[in-house]
Amino acid sequence: MPELDPTSLRAAFGGFATGVTVITTTTEDGDHGMTANAFMSVSLSPPLISVSLSRDCRMLGHVRQAGRYVVNVLRHDMEALAWHFAGRSDPSLRDPIARSDGHPVIAGAVARFFADLETEVPAGDHVILIGRVTGLSRDPAAEPLLFCGGRFGRLSPVPRSGNAGDRST
């Protein structure tokens, strides 16, 4: 097979819509956060989640040092926070990290998954961190922030139709 062009591969990956999260943790030198959309559930029993971080990102070292982290699923109106934690700091965002039972969190997030780092899986230029969920919080009325094709957006419900996807019959 011919080698894939990294630019084309990145653009194709960008066509997959994802939720937007901010990973937070605390080390001896303070709170840390990073925007990530490479998050997924792994297992219900035991309760496991994963995030994929670049081998050379600072957040990887912070999570390793802390041994625990929080995945904060951002709400549809938190685009400024997503950019802030993606490296485009916004000085108008004062103290964007709050506390919940001693954990660093993003206030108003759709959901939060509190996790202890269980294992790491090397994967090319990234490391997949698998965490055991030790707690969670959720706002069922909140809408998540989405990311696709380099743009942020929000859900737009698809009208129900009489097609095969409608299981009400």
Side-chain angles (χ1 to χ4, degrees), residues 36-70:
N37 63 349
F39 161 71
M40 69 176 207
S41 63
V42 174
S43 171
L44 291 175
S45 182
L48 301 174
I49 58 174
S50 71
V51 293
S52 179
L53 302 180
S54 172
R55 284 183 181 276
D56 58 3
C57 79
R58 289 184 303 233
M59 191 63 174
L60 180 58
H62 296 317
V63 171
R64 284 173 169 160
Q65 182 182 350
R68 64 184 189 170
Y69 58 96
V70 181

Side-chain angles (χ1 to χ4, degrees), residues 2 137 149:
S137 66

Side-chain angles (χ1 to χ4, degrees), residues 71-78 106-114 135-145 154-155:
V71 177
N72 302 269
V73 179
L74 297 187
R75 198 177 56 232
H76 70 89
D77 58 353
M78 294 180 159
I106 302 299
V110 171
R112 293 183 199 105
F113 299 90
F114 301 85
L136 62 90
S137 66
R138 180 174 167 259
D139 178 353
E143 285 185 56
L145 180 63
R154 65 192 293 182
L155 288 172

